[in-house]
Amino acid sequence: MSLGATTAPGLLAERARSAPGSVAFRSKHLGLYRERSWRDYASLVGRCARGLRKLGLAPGERVAIMGDACEEWVICDLAAQAAGAITYGIYPTASASEVEYQMLDGGATIFVAEDQEYVDKLLPLLERLPAVKAVVVIDDSAMFDYEHDLLVSYRELLGEPGDDAALAVLDDLAARLDPASPAFIVYTSGTTGKPKGALVAHGTHLAAAHNMIGHYPTLGSDAHRTVVYLPLCHILGRDLAITLPLLGRIVPHFGEDIEDLPTTFFEVAPTLLFTVPRYLQKFASQVLVGINTSTKVKRAAYEAAMRVGRAQARARWERSAPESLAYRLCRTLVFRPLLEKLGMDELELVVSGGAPLPAETMALWQVWGVNTVEVYGQTEEAGAIISGQPSPFPRPGNVGTVAPGWELRLGDGNEILVRGPHVFDGYWRSDEATRQVKDADGWLHTGDVGELRDGVLRLVDRARDFIVTAGGKTLSPSTIENALRASPYVGEAMVIGQARKFVAALIEIDFDTVADWARANDVSYTGFTSLATHPAVQKLIAGEIARANETLARVEQVKAFRILPKLLDPEEEGEPVTPTRKLKRALMIERFRDLVDSMYDDREERLVHAGVADLLQPGAQAG
């Protein structure tokens, strides 16, 4: 059967019949990992779907889910799909106003909350959300004194166990589903406006996810352990936690607390990882700061191993050279123990997507012996990748060759255009927005600028983000920002330079790594602000920017910087950062106007302006 002609609930029912006792996933509860077989999984989804129907959920209605990655998120999602509803996730870090917008825009009739934290975000909004029929709470242990007619516990929703009856419910519901009908909505980040909901059909998504297996066959053929920690409302998170396990032999693992991710990695020792660049940078930063504050002997051993590792990496990229004896020794004595502390010593493949991966970060992981590849895709591709690097150990700096099923060309301004069977149905309730990205010939306008050489694609930047300096130079901010983020002490960076004489940057420090550095160097502080404004930290970041500048052309180099005095928090109303921690550039400049202005000496501009100021006033008379 073609994947485009089936559904995820249908595949789950089939796996429950063909491999009932095989492990579908593991999740940690009260310190212990609990295995769920495919039969268990299908039974839970059937029970949940039956419960949702009893709550009045009708085909075509929407179900919103808010919380961190957990087994119940997955079960509720597939159960709602089985019942004929359309699901969508709301980012756990969304502010109250963002929750209200997505509840109204999506029109959800049922809201699933992981715990009290997310219930508290919704309850004050209910008067303005008349469509909501029920609020299902997965973990209600802290809600013993809550009284509201719409609150329903997850346990109550599931009802009494009964595998055979629940499996029959799932079989019946899945058989009724139309693979061409909508399955879920994925909301975009909303960096330049309100988030848009990309509508994806059942069969389209399954075929799209299988496109990734076409590029990386190991995802479909080999047994893998993985850790689920990306938000499940992100298309990459959904692929790994829900869809690819249905298509192959990947076993997802859900930790007990997303805040204790290092423990989860150490316990699971994953062989496969899907991630976004921010996490790879964060993990690497922790290692590097630990090395920098270790003994002289350990630092010397690491530097010696890195010299061998860099030579091995170059040999791999240039002539596909096998591992040298010296490198194998360095891996065994230095790099493997280092990775073992992270729980990453058994990784066979790391797939990075969602944003450009700095070449330096990718190179570092490869030197350590981790097969890291970068893929390129968008929400609007329904879970497929547009392109991906070959495995193993590709050269950093590009996003590889076009994945199976896609046509790709460069349009005006070298914008990446793609056409194929995996394009999303359109934006939810926004035909005009859909027309802006999907033309009459079926080409999807990605908004990304790229270079295509010998069939290999390199991302340059988002078309709307290019900077044109006062000197007329066109610059890619992401190139500069990636160079800055290569520092373990830089959490986030945004460069400024539009119509300016030089490039400057706003820097958010990585609090954990800078705090570790401060303790190792006897720098006292009381909190984020006192650390960020400390002269020693200013000097530290200045040195990191100087190192980044060495990799940049002169016109790209950062001539001034300011450290943000506070941590950007997407849960705060009006913050210039999305729930996925993408920066809203215009709002960043507006919010930190004083810091931006302090980096530029505008005396020349003021002198010129003074001579013609009267001419520019409304109602000025001609002389």
Side-chain angles (χ1 to χ4, degrees), residues 237-258:
R238 174 181 287 275
D239 277 345
L240 186 62
I242 301 175
T243 316
L244 289 173
L246 286 168
L247 301 176
R249 300 167 61 201
I250 296 169
V251 177
H253 290 69
F254 300 90
E256 194 156 18
D257 189 342
I258 198 70

Side-chain angles (χ1 to χ4, degrees), residues 89-417:
I90 300 176
Y91 277 95
T93 53
S95 65
S97 63
E98 288 166 332
V99 173
E100 181 175 5
Y101 168 77
Q102 290 190 26
M103 287 297 292
L104 286 169
D105 186 70
T109 58
I110 292 179
F111 179 85
V112 179
E114 182 190 3
D115 54 29
Q116 176 193 358
E117 177 185 353
Y118 306 106
V119 174
D120 288 344
K121 285 191 175 184
L122 185 77
L123 287 183
L125 308 174
L126 283 177
E127 290 184 359
R128 299 191 293 278
L129 301 172
V132 177
K133 300 175 183 178
V135 178
V136 177
V137 188
I138 294 170
D139 177 7
D140 60 354
S141 58
M143 298 179 59
F144 49 86
D145 62 345
Y146 278 59
E147 292 185 7
H148 197 288
D149 292 343
L150 296 185
L151 291 176
V152 180
S153 75
Y154 176 72
R155 291 187 303 277
E156 180 184 350
L157 180 75
L158 291 182
E160 293 298 320
D163 286 353
D164 291 339
L167 291 170
V169 168
L170 178 60
D171 278 334
D172 179 57
L173 291 175
R176 300 183 197 179
L177 292 176
D178 177 4
S181 64
F184 57 85
I185 299 168
V186 179
Y187 278 91
T188 60
S189 297
T191 54
T192 58
K194 292 291 186 183
K196 298 187 291 289
L199 189 62
V200 181
H202 290 279
T204 301
H205 173 60
L206 292 177
H210 193 266
N211 132 291
M212 199 180 304
I213 295 176
H215 213 77
Y216 301 109
T218 183
L219 300 178
S221 61
D222 299 331
H224 283 291
R225 297 183 306 276
T226 193
V227 173
V228 178
Y229 63 97
L230 295 178
L232 299 185
C233 39
H234 190 292
I235 195 73
L236 199 61
R238 174 181 287 275
D239 277 345
L240 186 62
I242 301 175
T243 316
L244 289 173
L246 286 168
L247 301 176
R249 300 167 61 201
I250 296 169
V251 177
H253 290 69
F254 300 90
E256 194 156 18
D257 189 342
I258 198 70
E259 299 300 325
D260 197 17
L261 193 56
T263 298
T264 305
F265 274 115
F266 188 78
E267 292 170 340
V268 175
T271 60
L272 169 70
L273 193 64
F274 276 26
T275 189
V276 292
R278 182 176 179 82
Y279 278 107
L280 286 179
Q281 291 172 304
K282 182 82 171 176
F283 299 147
S285 295
Q286 292 169 353
V287 171
L288 293 175
V289 170
I291 290 168
N292 290 339
T293 56
S294 64
T295 65
K296 288 184 178 180
V297 172
K298 288 183 177 180
R299 289 200 302 272
Y302 176 76
E303 285 303 323
M306 283 298 294
R307 285 193 291 272
V308 175
R310 284 191 290 266
Q312 177 67 56
R314 281 192 294 269
R316 277 197 193 113
W317 300 335
E318 292 169 4
R319 56 183 186 276
S320 300
E323 290 186 358
S324 67
L325 178 61
Y327 178 72
R328 288 201 297 271
L329 191 63
C330 290
R331 276 197 70 178
T332 301
L333 298 179
V334 179
F335 299 141
R336 188 175 180 86
L338 176 154
L339 293 169
E340 192 173 10
K341 291 179 180 179
L342 296 174
M344 297 183 181
D345 54 309
E346 295 190 29
L347 281 171
E348 298 170 15
L349 177 65
V350 173
V351 179
S352 178
L357 175 63
E360 297 82 2
T361 302
M362 182 175 177
L364 180 61
W365 283 98
Q366 289 196 11
V367 166
W368 289 346
V370 178
N371 177 26
T372 307
V373 303
E374 184 174 9
V375 299
Y376 168 56
Q378 291 191 330
T379 299
E380 291 81 358
E381 275 83 57
I385 59 170
I386 296 171
S387 67
Q389 292 181 309
S391 175
F393 298 100
R395 181 189 292 272
N398 63 72
V399 289
T401 55
V402 177
W406 288 115
E407 295 177 73
L408 184 147
R409 66 182 178 88
L410 300 182
D412 295 341
N414 286 333
E415 181 185 9
I416 299 169
L417 308 181

Side-chain angles (χ1 to χ4, degrees), residues 338-609:
L338 176 154
L339 293 169
E340 192 173 10
K341 291 179 180 179
L342 296 174
M344 297 183 181
D345 54 309
E346 295 190 29
L347 281 171
E348 298 170 15
L349 177 65
V350 173
V351 179
S352 178
L357 175 63
E360 297 82 2
T361 302
M362 182 175 177
L364 180 61
W365 283 98
Q366 289 196 11
V367 166
W368 289 346
V370 178
N371 177 26
T372 307
V373 303
E374 184 174 9
V375 299
Y376 168 56
Q378 291 191 330
T379 299
E380 291 81 358
E381 275 83 57
I385 59 170
I386 296 171
S387 67
Q389 292 181 309
S391 175
F393 298 100
R395 181 189 292 272
N398 63 72
V399 289
T401 55
V402 177
W406 288 115
E407 295 177 73
L408 184 147
R409 66 182 178 88
L410 300 182
D412 295 341
N414 286 333
E415 181 185 9
I416 299 169
L417 308 181
V418 294
R419 183 167 64 181
H422 311 311
V423 174
F424 75 138
D425 288 6
Y427 291 118
W428 174 252
R429 292 177 171 171
S430 186
D431 292 340
E432 177 57 31
T434 302
R435 283 192 291 270
Q436 289 176 7
V437 298
K438 287 175 71 173
D439 65 26
D441 294 324
W443 288 98
L444 184 72
H445 294 242
T446 67
D448 291 319
V449 175
E451 293 178 354
L452 195 59
R453 294 180 182 175
D454 299 324
V456 176
L457 181 66
R458 187 179 79 85
L459 297 182
V460 178
D461 213 327
R462 293 292 291 173
R464 62 173 179 264
D465 289 341
F466 279 101
I467 289 172
V468 181
T469 67
K473 298 291 185 180
T474 300
L475 306 177
S476 163
S478 68
T479 298
I480 306 168
E481 289 161 357
N482 282 341
L484 297 174
R485 294 192 199 105
S487 163
Y489 304 112
V490 174
E492 189 53 82
M494 191 189 90
V495 299
I496 301 151
Q498 179 65 30
R500 303 280 193 170
K501 290 180 290 185
F502 57 84
V503 172
L506 294 173
I507 301 292
E508 180 190 55
I509 60 171
D510 185 301
F511 181 69
D512 293 334
T513 56
V514 174
D516 287 343
W517 174 88
R519 287 190 289 270
N521 289 274
D522 296 323
V523 174
S524 59
Y525 65 95
T526 57
F528 185 93
T529 300
S530 69
L531 183 63
T533 56
H534 197 288
V537 173
Q538 297 283 330
K539 185 177 179 180
L540 170 71
I541 299 302
E544 296 299 298
I545 290 177
R547 271 189 281 276
N549 279 341
E550 292 175 0
T551 68
L552 299 169
R554 178 174 294 183
V555 70
E556 296 174 316
Q557 293 176 355
V558 175
K559 302 296 194 297
F561 73 94
R562 294 291 183 270
I563 299 177
L564 302 185
K566 66 182 291 293
L567 191 65
L568 296 173
D569 183 358
E571 295 191 55
E572 276 189 32
E573 293 294 338
E575 279 285 81
V577 61
T578 72
T580 57
R581 289 196 60 85
K582 291 181 180 177
L583 299 181
K584 301 178 181 180
R585 293 182 182 273
L587 193 54
M588 278 286 290
I589 292 174
E590 179 183 329
R591 172 65 58 84
F592 299 106
R593 173 65 63 183
D594 290 345
L595 291 180
V596 173
D597 289 346
S598 71
M599 291 187 283
Y600 291 96
D601 180 354
D602 62 351
R603 284 176 294 181
E604 289 181 1
E605 287 81 354
R606 285 188 281 112
L607 193 61
V608 171
H609 175 74

